[in-house]
Amino acid sequence: MPTLICGSVAYDTIMVFPDRFKHHILPDKVHMLSVSFLVPEMRREYGGCAGNIGYNLHLLGGEPVIMATVGQDFGPYADRLKTLGMRQDCIRVIEDQYTPQCFITNDLDDNQITAFHPGAMGESHHNRFDHVAGLKLAIIGPDGRDGMLTHVRELKAAGIPFIFDPGQAMPLFSGPELLDCVAAADYVALNDYEAALMEEKTGKGIADLAGMVKALIVTRGGEGSSIYVGGKEITIPVAKAAAVLDPTGCGDAYRAGLLFGIDQGWDWETTGRLASLLGSIKIASRGGQNHKFDQASLRADFRTAFNAELPAW
């Protein structure tokens, strides 16, 4: 069954400064900051929330339909999606814009200086999904503000259940706007910081927000995650990772697990554990889309992590 994934498709340029920022930033001069860092190590990754979620859902055997706006430099990403066999019919190219870009510089203490250029993402409200046959599930991830609001309204009007996942785009919305989006959604996914921000902006606690949807999911990094459903909290444990190399895209991998479990009709304990496992697999590799798994390896890893079996699909 096709699953619509609304959100960003981006290039992540990641650089490593082989020193510590604190050695080169003078505290008494931050009002006139002008610094330059030599970064001999650099890599370019395929990313963006929608791109990462789609990649993981594709590995699971789902049919992701990424809906995003990209720019004139999208060619290499398009070639990658074609090689993977992933649909591109809901990806719109804006020729006078660039594909969203994230520029990240890390130092030896894993501090980050990040700059994000939204580029074509600001045109996401022009995207449509009318031509996608058999669409029964969707997720709205971080995207252009107008695009997110438009897709909330359109998915609600079409009767297509969806996860509202505002992520780092949350500051773009007022409290009432967030409440409208939650009320229209079937599910909400947040990390623990975003959950606290949602409570602050809306004036409603997690229990109240969870009561507005079928399920509300809060991820807590190394402390696992919680799924609030039916007036109770289901605690999802962390799956131990083979290595902890890069958290970039772990939340997106988790969300792909949620989408797959919902699509399969699995219970929330199983769905949450699959999502947790995908996050742990992702964190063991650098970049948002360089990890791999298949059904056999996933079943074995699930058995090891949770002493339980994944249902057949």
PDB file of all heavy atoms in Angstrom, residues 21-37:
ATOM      1  N   PHE A  21      36.012  24.033  19.011  1.00  0.00           N
ATOM      2  CA  PHE A  21      35.562  25.410  18.777  1.00  0.00           C
ATOM      3  C   PHE A  21      35.979  26.340  19.915  1.00  0.00           C
ATOM      4  O   PHE A  21      36.322  27.498  19.694  1.00  0.00           O
ATOM      5  CB  PHE A  21      34.042  25.467  18.611  1.00  0.00           C
ATOM      6  CG  PHE A  21      33.504  24.746  17.402  1.00  0.00           C
ATOM      7  CD1 PHE A  21      32.309  24.040  17.479  1.00  0.00           C
ATOM      8  CD2 PHE A  21      34.174  24.780  16.198  1.00  0.00           C
ATOM      9  CE1 PHE A  21      31.799  23.384  16.373  1.00  0.00           C
ATOM     10  CE2 PHE A  21      33.680  24.117  15.082  1.00  0.00           C
ATOM     11  CZ  PHE A  21      32.483  23.412  15.173  1.00  0.00           C
ATOM     12  N   LYS A  22      35.942  25.808  21.137  1.00  0.00           N
ATOM     13  CA  LYS A  22      36.192  26.654  22.311  1.00  0.00           C
ATOM     14  C   LYS A  22      37.600  27.247  22.302  1.00  0.00           C
ATOM     15  O   LYS A  22      37.858  28.249  22.966  1.00  0.00           O
ATOM     16  CB  LYS A  22      35.953  25.867  23.594  1.00  0.00           C
ATOM     17  CG  LYS A  22      36.921  24.714  23.829  1.00  0.00           C
ATOM     18  CD  LYS A  22      36.554  23.954  25.094  1.00  0.00           C
ATOM     19  CE  LYS A  22      37.515  22.796  25.348  1.00  0.00           C
ATOM     20  NZ  LYS A  22      37.128  22.025  26.569  1.00  0.00           N
ATOM     21  N   HIS A  23      38.507  26.625  21.550  1.00  0.00           N
ATOM     22  CA  HIS A  23      39.869  27.151  21.467  1.00  0.00           C
ATOM     23  C   HIS A  23      39.975  28.346  20.516  1.00  0.00           C
ATOM     24  O   HIS A  23      41.021  29.005  20.482  1.00  0.00           O
ATOM     25  CB  HIS A  23      40.825  26.057  20.992  1.00  0.00           C
ATOM     26  CG  HIS A  23      40.980  24.928  21.953  1.00  0.00           C
ATOM     27  ND1 HIS A  23      41.463  23.679  21.589  1.00  0.00           N
ATOM     28  CD2 HIS A  23      40.690  24.836  23.292  1.00  0.00           C
ATOM     29  CE1 HIS A  23      41.475  22.891  22.650  1.00  0.00           C
ATOM     30  NE2 HIS A  23      41.009  23.573  23.684  1.00  0.00           N
ATOM     31  N   HIS A  24      38.929  28.605  19.761  1.00  0.00           N
ATOM     32  CA  HIS A  24      39.004  29.626  18.711  1.00  0.00           C
ATOM     33  C   HIS A  24      37.897  30.675  18.806  1.00  0.00           C
ATOM     34  O   HIS A  24      37.820  31.551  17.968  1.00  0.00           O
ATOM     35  CB  HIS A  24      38.954  28.950  17.336  1.00  0.00           C
ATOM     36  CG  HIS A  24      40.044  27.952  17.142  1.00  0.00           C
ATOM     37  ND1 HIS A  24      41.261  28.278  16.595  1.00  0.00           N
ATOM     38  CD2 HIS A  24      40.106  26.629  17.449  1.00  0.00           C
ATOM     39  CE1 HIS A  24      42.034  27.197  16.568  1.00  0.00           C
ATOM     40  NE2 HIS A  24      41.355  26.190  17.077  1.00  0.00           N
ATOM     41  N   ILE A  25      37.032  30.536  19.797  1.00  0.00           N
ATOM     42  CA  ILE A  25      35.972  31.518  20.011  1.00  0.00           C
ATOM     43  C   ILE A  25      36.220  32.191  21.355  1.00  0.00           C
ATOM     44  O   ILE A  25      36.208  31.533  22.404  1.00  0.00           O
ATOM     45  CB  ILE A  25      34.581  30.855  19.985  1.00  0.00           C
ATOM     46  CG1 ILE A  25      34.326  30.238  18.607  1.00  0.00           C
ATOM     47  CG2 ILE A  25      33.491  31.874  20.319  1.00  0.00           C
ATOM     48  CD1 ILE A  25      33.029  29.464  18.506  1.00  0.00           C
ATOM     49  N   LEU A  26      36.487  33.479  21.316  1.00  0.00           N
ATOM     50  CA  LEU A  26      36.790  34.228  22.532  1.00  0.00           C
ATOM     51  C   LEU A  26      35.487  34.715  23.170  1.00  0.00           C
ATOM     52  O   LEU A  26      34.733  35.462  22.538  1.00  0.00           O
ATOM     53  CB  LEU A  26      37.684  35.423  22.205  1.00  0.00           C
ATOM     54  CG  LEU A  26      39.011  35.072  21.504  1.00  0.00           C
ATOM     55  CD1 LEU A  26      39.762  36.343  21.145  1.00  0.00           C
ATOM     56  CD2 LEU A  26      39.858  34.160  22.378  1.00  0.00           C
ATOM     57  N   PRO A  27      35.208  34.287  24.398  1.00  0.00           N
ATOM     58  CA  PRO A  27      33.920  34.650  25.033  1.00  0.00           C
ATOM     59  C   PRO A  27      33.659  36.148  25.076  1.00  0.00           C
ATOM     60  O   PRO A  27      32.511  36.584  24.934  1.00  0.00           O
ATOM     61  CB  PRO A  27      34.059  34.072  26.449  1.00  0.00           C
ATOM     62  CG  PRO A  27      35.039  32.958  26.305  1.00  0.00           C
ATOM     63  CD  PRO A  27      36.020  33.420  25.269  1.00  0.00           C
ATOM     64  N   ASP A  28      34.702  36.955  25.252  1.00  0.00           N
ATOM     65  CA  ASP A  28      34.482  38.396  25.360  1.00  0.00           C
ATOM     66  C   ASP A  28      34.383  39.087  24.001  1.00  0.00           C
ATOM     67  O   ASP A  28      34.261  40.305  23.924  1.00  0.00           O
ATOM     68  CB  ASP A  28      35.589  39.039  26.192  1.00  0.00           C
ATOM     69  CG  ASP A  28      36.970  38.841  25.565  1.00  0.00           C
ATOM     70  OD1 ASP A  28      37.129  37.874  24.793  1.00  0.00           O
ATOM     71  OD2 ASP A  28      37.872  39.649  25.850  1.00  0.00           O
ATOM     72  N   LYS A  29      34.425  38.279  22.910  1.00  0.00           N
ATOM     73  CA  LYS A  29      34.339  38.850  21.564  1.00  0.00           C
ATOM     74  C   LYS A  29      33.150  38.312  20.760  1.00  0.00           C
ATOM     75  O   LYS A  29      33.069  38.519  19.553  1.00  0.00           O
ATOM     76  CB  LYS A  29      35.623  38.547  20.788  1.00  0.00           C
ATOM     77  CG  LYS A  29      36.894  39.113  21.415  1.00  0.00           C
ATOM     78  CD  LYS A  29      36.919  40.636  21.387  1.00  0.00           C
ATOM     79  CE  LYS A  29      38.236  41.170  21.924  1.00  0.00           C
ATOM     80  NZ  LYS A  29      38.246  42.656  21.959  1.00  0.00           N
ATOM     81  N   VAL A  30      32.212  37.620  21.429  1.00  0.00           N
ATOM     82  CA  VAL A  30      31.106  37.016  20.687  1.00  0.00           C
ATOM     83  C   VAL A  30      30.194  38.065  20.059  1.00  0.00           C
ATOM     84  O   VAL A  30      29.446  37.769  19.126  1.00  0.00           O
ATOM     85  CB  VAL A  30      30.276  36.071  21.590  1.00  0.00           C
ATOM     86  CG1 VAL A  30      31.089  34.852  21.980  1.00  0.00           C
ATOM     87  CG2 VAL A  30      29.763  36.800  22.820  1.00  0.00           C
ATOM     88  N   HIS A  31      30.251  39.313  20.534  1.00  0.00           N
ATOM     89  CA  HIS A  31      29.424  40.365  19.944  1.00  0.00           C
ATOM     90  C   HIS A  31      29.973  40.821  18.592  1.00  0.00           C
ATOM     91  O   HIS A  31      29.308  41.555  17.854  1.00  0.00           O
ATOM     92  CB  HIS A  31      29.351  41.564  20.901  1.00  0.00           C
ATOM     93  CG  HIS A  31      30.671  42.225  21.141  1.00  0.00           C
ATOM     94  ND1 HIS A  31      31.660  41.633  21.899  1.00  0.00           N
ATOM     95  CD2 HIS A  31      31.163  43.426  20.722  1.00  0.00           C
ATOM     96  CE1 HIS A  31      32.721  42.433  21.948  1.00  0.00           C
ATOM     97  NE2 HIS A  31      32.440  43.531  21.244  1.00  0.00           N
ATOM     98  N   MET A  32      31.180  40.396  18.258  1.00  0.00           N
ATOM     99  CA  MET A  32      31.782  40.759  16.973  1.00  0.00           C
ATOM    100  C   MET A  32      32.464  39.526  16.375  1.00  0.00           C
ATOM    101  O   MET A  32      33.589  39.559  15.903  1.00  0.00           O
ATOM    102  CB  MET A  32      32.799  41.893  17.162  1.00  0.00           C
ATOM    103  CG  MET A  32      33.806  41.648  18.269  1.00  0.00           C
ATOM    104  SD  MET A  32      34.945  43.017  18.528  1.00  0.00           S
ATOM    105  CE  MET A  32      35.898  42.928  17.030  1.00  0.00           C
ATOM    106  N   LEU A  33      31.722  38.411  16.405  1.00  0.00           N
ATOM    107  CA  LEU A  33      32.270  37.110  16.025  1.00  0.00           C
ATOM    108  C   LEU A  33      32.596  37.045  14.533  1.00  0.00           C
ATOM    109  O   LEU A  33      31.761  37.340  13.679  1.00  0.00           O
ATOM    110  CB  LEU A  33      31.260  36.008  16.382  1.00  0.00           C
ATOM    111  CG  LEU A  33      31.736  34.570  16.201  1.00  0.00           C
ATOM    112  CD1 LEU A  33      32.873  34.261  17.171  1.00  0.00           C
ATOM    113  CD2 LEU A  33      30.564  33.608  16.440  1.00  0.00           C
ATOM    114  N   SER A  34      33.808  36.638  14.238  1.00  0.00           N
ATOM    115  CA  SER A  34      34.236  36.396  12.859  1.00  0.00           C
ATOM    116  C   SER A  34      35.289  35.297  12.913  1.00  0.00           C
ATOM    117  O   SER A  34      36.442  35.529  13.278  1.00  0.00           O
ATOM    118  CB  SER A  34      34.814  37.664  12.226  1.00  0.00           C
ATOM    119  OG  SER A  34      35.263  37.394  10.910  1.00  0.00           O
ATOM    120  N   VAL A  35      34.869  34.080  12.588  1.00  0.00           N
ATOM    121  CA  VAL A  35      35.775  32.935  12.700  1.00  0.00           C
ATOM    122  C   VAL A  35      35.804  32.153  11.389  1.00  0.00           C
ATOM    123  O   VAL A  35      34.862  32.197  10.592  1.00  0.00           O
ATOM    124  CB  VAL A  35      35.353  31.988  13.849  1.00  0.00           C
ATOM    125  CG1 VAL A  35      35.499  32.669  15.195  1.00  0.00           C
ATOM    126  CG2 VAL A  35      33.925  31.497  13.653  1.00  0.00           C
ATOM    127  N   SER A  36      36.879  31.453  11.184  1.00  0.00           N
ATOM    128  CA  SER A  36      37.026  30.590  10.014  1.00  0.00           C
ATOM    129  C   SER A  36      37.683  29.297  10.462  1.00  0.00           C
ATOM    130  O   SER A  36      38.678  29.318  11.200  1.00  0.00           O
ATOM    131  CB  SER A  36      37.889  31.276   8.946  1.00  0.00           C
ATOM    132  OG  SER A  36      38.079  30.416   7.835  1.00  0.00           O
ATOM    133  N   PHE A  37      37.119  28.161  10.047  1.00  0.00           N
ATOM    134  CA  PHE A  37      37.637  26.863  10.458  1.00  0.00           C
ATOM    135  C   PHE A  37      38.097  26.074   9.236  1.00  0.00           C
ATOM    136  O   PHE A  37      37.353  25.956   8.244  1.00  0.00           O
ATOM    137  CB  PHE A  37      36.560  26.059  11.198  1.00  0.00           C
ATOM    138  CG  PHE A  37      36.041  26.730  12.432  1.00  0.00           C
ATOM    139  CD1 PHE A  37      34.753  27.238  12.472  1.00  0.00           C
ATOM    140  CD2 PHE A  37      36.835  26.869  13.550  1.00  0.00           C
ATOM    141  CE1 PHE A  37      34.263  27.868  13.605  1.00  0.00           C
ATOM    142  CE2 PHE A  37      36.366  27.495  14.693  1.00  0.00           C
ATOM    143  CZ  PHE A  37      35.080  27.991  14.720  1.00  0.00           C
TER     144      PHE A  37
END
